[in-house]
């Protein structure tokens, strides 16, 4: 019976990976690593889909369907078409002559044909199908020469790139050597210059001090000019008069400090407790759509772009590829938020095949998260367990995080580098606000209300500094706004002690 053979043709691909990475993955899939012919075919088919290049030729229908399925897993769409008629006629001729016997093309040994489609010679162990494919390659020298030319060009480009890198490295080394030689000369010159300047300054200070001492001594030893004239005109009896004339000058000099002390209370009254720049920063806390401040290795734009890639993978129903994509992220908190997105998508579709991978990835993120992200990732882990219906484990996971947030002796864990120099309690309130936003985003509003109580306890233990109290009350108001509690947010803003800050934040709330 005639066995039909087919070619596998690339139509298009929807992968986000670069073409060279995709070619490498397909070579691994086909077990053809290092094969320049297949690499050229794959590159041509992915870069130029209109060429309809056959990447696999003269294979059975079962093999074609198997590889078509595997290619689709890598987001590469293919089609199956019959092999060229000339090849089919050759196969028909061989099958008509041999019927149910297989004749080895190398040693002409005859044996029964294998039903699996792969005929291995019992005499010389030659696989006939692989031998025939090799023969077909040799029958097409033009195509083969093009493949080798492509490979040679690739090797030439790599060699030029290596040479360019070597030249740049050599220039860098020479520059470092030159800088090091110059730096060895500089310390002595700098030391001599600094010593000379120090000696000049010291000499100048000594000269000025000696001059001031001489002038002070001269002025102290001579009486005022007016008194000398009186003594010369009236004689020695005028000494008591001059003494009496000299006394009122001392009395007139004493009240000169009273106006300075009188102005000090006025300057203290005009000093504002909270500056306008700080008030403007407090206003941004009330905005619901402000960027997430706890992504330490991703910008908001990059996080948005990665989130769009994740949604595309979920739309294609590829949750396992989404988890693999998340594992490549360097920001642990961003990865935790995206894992929650995957888990929520799986829950809505009632799929649970990837739950173990998601839990394993979360454990890995929790072990690598920095101190400031630990409570956020831990709360996200608890939220994941809630989404999967494991409420008891979710409460146990959250207990440690709540204890850390309530504690007053762990301030160092919640201090981050900040120009504003926020206190540890303010950092804790900011983290609680972000957790409430995350829980509300995944429809866990009831659990989010528990964090409002935690925030009130943190605010009660905060320092009584005006700015810290204003920040805490503003963060609590922002948390109430997230949960839709407008009246409660208004009540928190009314408690701010500084009247100017309170009025501006209330005006901002009304505009929202």
């Amino acid at each position: 019976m005639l066995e039909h053979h087919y070619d596998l043709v690339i139509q298009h691909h929807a992968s986000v990976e670069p073409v060279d990475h995709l070619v490498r993955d397909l070579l691994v899939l086909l077990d053809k690593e290092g094969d320049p012919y297949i690499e050229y075919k794959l590159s041509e088919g992915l870069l130029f889909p209109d060429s309809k290049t056959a990447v696999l030729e003269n294979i059975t229908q079962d093999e074609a369907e198997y590889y078509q399925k595997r290619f689709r897993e890598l987001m590469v769409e293919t089609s199956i078409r019959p092999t060229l008629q000339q090849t089919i006629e050759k196969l028909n001729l061989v099958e008509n002559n041999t019927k149910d016997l297989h004749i080895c093309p190398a040693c002409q040994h005859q044996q029964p044909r294998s039903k699996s489609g792969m005929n291995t010679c019992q005499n010389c162990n030659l696989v006939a199908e692989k031998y025939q494919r090799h023969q077909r390659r040799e029958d097409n020298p033009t195509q083969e020469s093009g493949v080798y030319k492509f490979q040679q060009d690739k090797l030439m480009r790599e060699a030029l790139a290596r040479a360019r890198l070597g030249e740049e490295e050599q220039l860098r080394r020479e520059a470092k050597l030159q800088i090091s030689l110059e730096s060895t000369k500089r310390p002595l010159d700098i030391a001599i210059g600094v010593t000379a300047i120090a000696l000049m300054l010291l000499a100048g200070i000594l000269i000025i001090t000696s001059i001031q001492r001489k002038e002070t001594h001269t002025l102290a030893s001579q009486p005022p000019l007016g008194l000398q004239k009186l003594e010369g005109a009236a004689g020695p009896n005028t000494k008591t008069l001059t003494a009496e004339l000299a006394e009122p000058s001392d009395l007139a000099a004493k009240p000169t400090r009273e106006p300075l002390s009188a102005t000090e209370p006025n300057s203290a009254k005009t000093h504002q407790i909270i500056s306008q720049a700080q008030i403007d920063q407090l206003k941004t806390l009330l905005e619901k759509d402000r960027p997430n401040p706890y992504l330490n290795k991703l910008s908001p734009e990059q996080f948005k772009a990665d989130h769009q890639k994740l949604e595309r993978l979920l739309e294609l129903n590829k949750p396992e590829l989404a988890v693999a994509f998340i594992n490549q992220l360097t920001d642990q908190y961003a990865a935790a938020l995206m894992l929650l997105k995957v888990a929520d998508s799986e829950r809505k579709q009632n799929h649970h095949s990837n739950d173990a991978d998601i839990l394993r990835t979360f454990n890995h993120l929790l072990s690598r998260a920095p101190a400031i992200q630990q409570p956020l990732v831990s709360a996200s882990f608890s939220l994941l367990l809630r989404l999967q219906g494991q409420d008891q484990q979710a409460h146990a996971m959250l207990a440690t995080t709540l204890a850390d947030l309530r504690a007053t002796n762990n301030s160092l864990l919640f201090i981050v580098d900040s120009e504003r120099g926020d206190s540890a309690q303010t950092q804790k309130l900011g983290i609680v606000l972000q957790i409430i936003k995350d829980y509300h985003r995944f429809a866990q509003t009831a659990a989010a209300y528990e964090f409002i109580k935690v925030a009130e306890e943190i605010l009660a233990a905060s320092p009584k500094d005006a700015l810290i109290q204003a920040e805490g009350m503003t963060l609590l108001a922002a948390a109430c706004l997230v949960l839709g509690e407008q009246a409660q947010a208004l009540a928190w803003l009314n408690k701010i002690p500084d009247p100017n800050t309170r009025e501006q934040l209330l005006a901002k709330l009304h505009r929202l």
Side-chain angles (χ1 to χ4, degrees):
M1 180 179 179
L2 176 62
E3 183 180 3
H4 295 285
H5 287 73
Y6 300 90
D7 297 341
L8 189 67
V9 181
I10 293 179
Q11 297 293 331
H12 60 86
H13 74 93
S15 175
V16 297
E17 295 287 335
V19 173
D20 55 343
H21 292 180
L22 191 57
V23 169
R24 181 190 60 199
D25 295 340
L26 291 173
L27 287 173
V28 173
L29 172 64
L30 298 172
D31 195 18
K32 296 289 185 181
E33 296 177 90
D35 190 330
Y37 177 76
I38 299 298
E39 182 181 357
Y40 173 75
K41 287 288 188 180
L42 289 171
S43 302
E44 183 181 10
L46 293 171
L47 291 173
F48 309 103
D50 295 336
S51 63
K52 306 298 181 185
T53 304
V55 295
L56 295 177
E57 302 172 342
N58 196 24
I59 58 177
T60 63
Q61 185 175 2
D62 293 339
E63 290 178 322
E65 292 176 351
Y66 169 77
Y67 285 117
Q68 187 179 41
K69 180 180 178 181
R70 296 298 304 275
F71 272 50
R72 189 173 292 118
E73 292 177 357
L74 295 177
M75 304 179 71
V76 178
E77 291 295 332
T78 58
S79 63
I80 302 174
R81 71 183 183 191
T83 308
L84 296 177
Q85 188 65 29
Q86 180 180 0
T87 305
I88 297 176
E89 290 178 356
K90 289 182 180 180
L91 293 175
N92 288 336
L93 179 61
V94 172
E95 289 185 358
N96 290 332
N97 293 335
T98 60
K99 296 182 180 179
D100 293 335
L101 292 177
H102 166 68
I103 301 176
C104 178
C107 65
Q108 305 301 319
H109 174 72
Q110 296 184 2
Q111 64 187 43
R113 185 174 298 277
S114 174
K115 295 181 180 180
S116 64
M118 300 295 288
N119 294 281
T120 304
C121 180
Q122 298 174 354
N123 185 32
C124 63
N125 293 327
L126 177 71
V127 181
E129 284 73 17
K130 291 185 178 180
Y131 177 79
Q132 291 170 357
R133 292 177 193 173
H134 183 70
Q135 288 297 111
R136 284 196 298 274
R137 290 183 194 172
E138 293 182 352
D139 291 341
N140 195 351
T142 304
Q143 190 176 28
E144 194 71 21
S145 62
V147 170
Y148 284 114
K149 183 179 179 181
F150 172 79
Q151 190 69 15
Q152 289 176 355
D153 293 342
K154 180 181 177 181
L155 294 174
M156 181 62 70
R157 288 194 300 271
E158 293 177 353
L160 290 174
R162 286 195 299 269
R164 191 179 299 109
L165 289 175
E167 184 178 357
E168 292 177 356
E169 183 64 24
Q170 182 64 24
L171 291 175
R172 194 178 296 110
R173 289 177 182 175
E174 293 178 358
K176 288 181 178 179
L177 180 61
Q178 184 67 23
I179 292 173
S180 63
L181 291 175
E182 292 179 358
S183 62
T184 56
K185 299 177 182 178
R186 289 180 180 176
L188 183 59
D189 299 338
I190 294 173
I192 295 173
V194 170
T195 304
I197 293 172
L199 292 174
M200 292 172 63
L201 290 174
L202 182 60
I205 292 171
L206 292 174
I207 293 171
I208 293 172
T209 305
S210 61
I211 293 173
Q212 289 178 347
R213 286 179 179 177
K214 290 180 180 179
E215 290 178 354
T216 305
H217 181 71
T218 304
L219 292 174
S221 61
Q222 294 180 359
L225 182 60
L227 297 180
Q228 290 179 358
K229 291 181 178 180
L230 287 174
E231 289 178 359
N237 294 328
T238 60
K239 291 184 178 180
T240 57
L241 178 63
T242 57
E244 293 176 357
L245 291 173
E247 289 176 358
S249 64
D250 297 335
L251 296 174
K254 290 180 181 178
T256 57
R257 293 188 180 182
E258 293 179 359
L260 293 175
S261 61
T263 59
E264 288 177 0
N266 295 332
S267 62
K269 290 179 181 178
T270 58
H271 177 68
Q272 190 176 358
I273 297 177
I274 301 177
S275 66
Q276 185 59 43
Q278 292 169 337
I279 295 175
D280 293 338
Q281 290 177 348
L282 292 178
K283 290 179 183 179
T284 62
L285 298 178
L286 296 175
E287 299 174 358
K288 293 182 180 180
D289 56 348
R290 74 187 188 105
N292 194 324
Y294 296 101
L295 302 176
N296 57 0
K297 294 185 179 179
L298 283 181
S299 63
E301 295 77 14
Q302 183 61 40
F303 178 73
K304 184 178 180 181
D306 290 343
H307 197 270
Q308 291 175 351
K309 293 179 182 178
L310 179 71
E311 290 181 343
R312 182 181 178 185
L313 291 174
L314 294 178
E315 288 175 0
L316 296 173
N317 196 21
K318 298 293 182 182
E320 64 280 357
L321 293 181
V323 175
F325 169 71
I326 292 171
N327 277 320
Q328 297 178 354
L329 298 179
T330 57
D331 192 293
Q332 281 70 38
Y333 177 45
L337 293 178
M338 292 190 183
L339 269 180
L340 285 175
K341 181 74 174 178
V342 176
D344 190 49
S345 175
E346 291 285 274
R347 178 183 63 85
K348 291 178 180 178
Q349 298 179 10
N350 199 20
H351 293 168
H352 303 283
S353 57
N354 297 291
D355 287 355
D357 290 340
I358 294 174
L359 288 174
R360 191 182 308 111
T361 305
F362 246 117
N363 279 316
H364 186 53
L365 293 177
L366 196 58
S367 65
R368 293 187 304 167
I372 196 64
Q373 288 186 347
Q374 279 285 345
L376 293 163
V377 178
S378 179
S380 300
F381 200 170
S382 176
L383 178 55
L384 168 70
L385 295 174
R386 286 180 181 272
L387 293 176
Q388 294 181 349
Q390 305 179 36
D391 292 340
Q392 186 175 358
Q393 291 86 340
H395 283 292
M397 174 62 66
L398 200 58
T400 305
T401 302
L402 293 178
D404 288 340
L405 292 173
R406 288 191 175 102
T408 58
N409 58 350
N410 59 351
S411 299
L412 292 178
L413 294 177
F414 295 93
I415 291 296
V416 294
D417 294 335
S418 172
E419 294 181 358
R420 294 169 55 187
D422 292 341
S423 68
Q425 302 302 99
T426 305
Q427 286 291 339
K428 290 180 181 180
L429 288 172
I431 291 172
V432 171
L433 171 61
Q434 190 60 46
I435 292 174
I436 291 174
K437 287 183 178 181
D438 296 341
Y439 272 60
H440 184 263
R441 186 179 299 111
F442 291 96
Q444 298 293 323
T445 306
Y449 276 101
E450 299 178 8
F451 290 96
I452 294 290
K453 299 178 182 178
V454 177
E456 292 175 354
E457 296 177 13
I458 295 172
L459 181 60
S462 299
K464 301 307 178 184
D465 180 77
L467 178 59
I468 294 177
Q469 288 290 317
E471 285 179 331
M473 293 174 183
T474 306
L475 288 169
L476 266 167
C480 293
L481 287 177
V482 172
L483 299 177
E485 299 289 343
Q486 185 86 9
Q488 192 64 28
L490 185 63
W492 279 112
L493 291 181
N494 278 319
K495 293 180 181 180
I496 295 176
D498 183 52
N500 184 31
T501 306
R502 181 173 61 249
E503 292 175 2
Q504 294 195 40
L505 290 177
L506 287 173
K508 175 71 173 181
L509 179 61
H510 290 309
R511 288 195 298 271
L512 293 176

